[in-house]
Amino acid sequence: MKKFLKIFSVLLLICSSNTFSFAAEKVDYLKTDWSFKGLFGKFDRASLQRGYQVYTEVCASCHSMKYLSYRNLAEKGGPEFPEDQAKAIAASFEVMDGPNADGEMFARPGKLSDKFVMPYDNVKAAQAANGGAYPPDMSVLVKARGGGVDYVYSLLQGYEEAPSGMILDDGVHYNKYMYGNKIRMAAPLSDGLVEYGDGTAATVEQMSKDVTTFLMWAAEPHLEARHQMGFKAIIYLIILTILVYFSMKKIWSRVESEV
Amino acid sequence: MSDHDYRPKSKVGQWFNDRLPLLTLANHLTDYPTPKNLNYWWTFGGILTFCLITQIITGLTLAMHYIAHADMAFESVEHIMRDVNYGWLIRYIHANGASMFFLAVYIHIFRSLFYGSYKAPREIIWIIGIIIYLLMMAAAFMGYVLPWGQMSFWGATVITNLFSAIPFVGEGIVTWLWGGYSVDNPTLTRFFTLHYLIPFLILGLVVLHIWALHVPGNNNPVGIDIKKPSKDTVPFHPYIVIKDGFALLMFMIVFAFFVFYSPNILGHADNYIEANPMVTPAHIVPEWYLLPFYAILRSVPDKLLGVVAMLSAILILAVLPWLDTSKIRSAVFRPLYKQFYWILVADVLILGYVGAMPAEGLYLLIARVATAYYFLHFLVILPVLGFKEKTLPVPLSITEPVLGGSPNLATARKKESKIE
């Protein structure tokens, strides 16, 4: 039993360390204390709401978030805007609907059940407006990048002067965390770009943290439920394992053998 | 089955059993004499059964919400993750379940290698096991294609393209597999169909695997033939059931940590980007459990020979019972084989590591050496070892080990004195 556990854990360690080492490429990302990490990790509600503000006022002019609906903003485990506020947010967007009884398409104010309105009609339009580069959809963006939240958080703060000798084409910017260091997106954030309703100072660092938190929630809307259920499930399994262990000892005590 | 003289107690039971002997089968399964010295490495058979059932149940549930269409697959997976009740839980169990399934199957296979479980009279069990393993790889590969992310698409492109290495008919076969001239909607729908079918084929083979096992009975850590039933055996129920149950629970704790706390650590980030035939990812890597074979494939400069090497690496296992010439089963009594065994384990782990790295420079060199060693182990070392190795004396039974032969001599003696 002891030998088994020893070998098993060593094997597991080797396997997992392998996965970790190539899951994230060796880059020193900027670190911050994410409230949603760890066994009991939860989102910081205020940060999510501020993050939504940054998204909608800054990012959303180019980046879509097509898998989210306005109702998600009021749901448990998210920014948890009061339902009235979420309704007001939805209504502030114009949604194309139809065809109506006359066969015409028409614009109407958004409803909770609508998906987030996209900034461009299609990929071609988005590329045309952004010098040929397509601003990626942000619904699962943090899960679609190797470094996850740390990468996005760093990237937003990683704009610098290009090192001498590096020639950048028109409309290309230097970012020390971007793969290949060249990025089409101009530095999106600057101090005081948005005005937070709760009085938090809108520094680039603060906005980066808030919007990345918001993106994490957008990618994993059930993260809080997952953490809560995981803790209960594992405690349950551990208790059951202990009970079964003693039952096993009792049953095997009838035969002359180790277990 | 030695217990066909079983008769149910009740009249109804007898009536039913005379027509369909299910109760005889149930009786056989509960009384099945199992060696009492099985260690925890033997619990992975039960764990694998659990993995298969879990994959089938979660897979059926996912299939109710998933849409196998190139334009909608990615979106339908996001729909499952966001809007289906506990869809995130079911999908994460299914996705991580594949990894846990392979973790368990590798332990199961390497246990067999250590204790010589593939040797006579258990060759058929072993060969069925290899077929199951092959089907598992096919199912896992096709399952990874279904979310239609970047790694799905490009992984499918790379793997199906391997068939183009076949002389003359290769290109035709690839077109036939794709159902078109590139990986596209027809490829996705047929992969979905086959991904749905294969688990049930595996289930059928698992029944045969267990049936074939129940003819000679389990091998054991000492690796000797034992009399069944005897004082060397215990009935399957309750002894093995509770022990397998305990091991399964420990396994489930590890499983739960992955599902609830790092559900995406074993996947590749690129698979959260929707498939785009116009953009090729920087590194195309398969899932971790296929990496050793991927390393072997890439270590051969010629495409056709690379494919041959990769397939041989798996198929060589099927003839293992005849490559290993030693009469002794358990590595416990084979001091030299034991060392080569651990070198093989290290070799496969190294292959897995370099399989994840770019195929260039030092990594490529290591991959080549490790590939060569892999084949050397099976084709040269094992056959020769059987003739050259001086093995240790093997005990006559589990309870009466000969002097110096038992790995647990002290405990065995203590036990014997207790019996007296």
Side-chain angles (χ1 to χ4, degrees), chain B residues 255-289:
Chain B
F255 197 158
F257 263 105
F258 277 106
V259 169
F260 292 108
Y261 291 107
S262 43
N264 292 310
I265 196 90
L266 297 168
H268 197 289
D270 278 11
N271 227 27
Y272 278 105
I273 304 172
E274 192 168 1
N276 185 350
M278 314 304 286
V279 180
T280 317
H283 300 291
I284 302 175
V285 281
E287 292 272 75
W288 68 267
Y289 39 78

Side-chain angles (χ1 to χ4, degrees), chain B residues 212-337:
Chain B
L213 168 71
H214 279 228
V215 178
N218 288 71
N219 184 29
N220 64 76
V222 184
I224 52 167
D225 291 321
I226 51 170
K227 264 186 68 189
K228 287 169 283 257
S230 70
K231 63 175 180 171
D232 282 348
T233 67
V234 288
F236 190 78
H237 184 76
Y239 295 97
I240 303 300
V241 168
I242 188 96
K243 192 172 168 181
D244 277 2
F246 169 66
L248 174 62
L249 282 165
M250 294 214 294
F251 183 80
M252 284 169 78
I253 293 172
V254 178
F255 197 158
F257 263 105
F258 277 106
V259 169
F260 292 108
Y261 291 107
S262 43
N264 292 310
I265 196 90
L266 297 168
H268 197 289
D270 278 11
N271 227 27
Y272 278 105
I273 304 172
E274 192 168 1
N276 185 350
M278 314 304 286
V279 180
T280 317
H283 300 291
I284 302 175
V285 281
E287 292 272 75
W288 68 267
Y289 39 78
L290 302 176
L291 286 173
F293 300 108
Y294 193 55
I296 291 174
L297 169 78
R298 295 192 305 176
S299 68
V300 183
D302 182 75
K303 190 175 175 185
L304 177 61
L305 289 179
V307 175
V308 170
M310 182 177 71
L311 285 176
S312 314
I314 305 165
L315 293 178
I316 205 168
L317 294 172
V319 290
L320 179 60
W322 297 277
L323 287 175
D324 186 346
T325 48
S326 177
K327 293 275 175 287
I328 307 296
R329 290 197 193 100
S330 174
V332 172
F333 306 106
R334 300 182 61 190
L336 277 178
Y337 173 70

Side-chain angles (χ1 to χ4, degrees), chain A residues 42-87:
Chain A
K42 279 182 173 191
F43 290 114
D44 175 352
R45 221 57 67 194
S47 180
L48 277 182
Q49 296 194 356
R50 289 195 300 268
Y52 172 71
Q53 189 185 346
V54 177
Y55 166 73
T56 200
E57 288 179 18
V58 184
C59 320
S61 52
C62 299
H63 290 275
S64 60
M65 213 176 231
K66 58 184 175 185
Y67 299 125
L68 272 81
S69 306
Y70 294 110
R71 66 182 158 80
N72 296 138
L73 294 172
E75 275 165 6
K76 201 170 173 293
E80 294 184 7
F81 285 110
E83 196 166 314
D84 301 341
Q85 205 178 334
K87 269 184 185 157

Side-chain angles (χ1 to χ4, degrees), chain A residues 8 38 55 89 129 142 144 153 177 194 229 235 247 249 253-254:
Chain A
F8 182 70
Y55 166 73
I89 289 171
V142 290
Y153 177 70
Y177 297 106
V194 299
M229 188 193 285
I235 291 293
S247 315
K249 279 287 184 199
S253 68
R254 294 179 219 154

Side-chain angles (χ1 to χ4, degrees), chain B residues 108-139:
Chain B
H108 195 61
I109 291 172
F110 275 100
R111 187 269 291 156
S112 195
L113 291 179
F114 188 84
Y115 294 108
S117 303
Y118 49 85
K119 291 185 197 182
R122 298 184 180 82
E123 301 95 320
I124 299 293
I125 313 174
W126 171 256
I127 290 170
I128 293 173
I130 297 299
I131 300 171
I132 293 174
Y133 174 51
L134 274 171
L135 285 176
M136 275 175 64
M137 290 200 277

Side-chain angles (χ1 to χ4, degrees), chain A residues 1 8 20 39 67-68 71 139-140 143-144 218 220 222 226-227 229-231 241 248 251-252 256-257, chain B residues 36 40-41 74-75 78 81-83 86 88 92 107 239 246 249 260-261 263-265 269 272 356 415:
Chain A
M1 173 83 191
F8 182 70
F20 281 116
L39 243 52
Y67 299 125
L68 272 81
R71 66 182 158 80
S139 310
V140 284
K143 287 202 283 186
E220 279 283 315
H222 300 293
R226 173 154 62 77
H227 285 177
M229 188 193 285
F231 185 72
T241 308
M248 179 177 75
I251 289 171
W252 276 79
E256 288 295 333
S257 190
Chain B
K36 68 180 185 185
Y40 281 92
W41 300 110
F74 190 86
E75 190 181 347
E78 278 308 310
M81 291 297 290
R82 290 162 194 277
D83 297 331
Y86 298 105
W88 57 269
Y92 278 154
I107 292 172
Y239 295 97
F246 169 66
L249 282 165
F260 292 108
Y261 291 107
N264 292 310
I265 196 90
Y272 278 105
K415 288 267 160 65

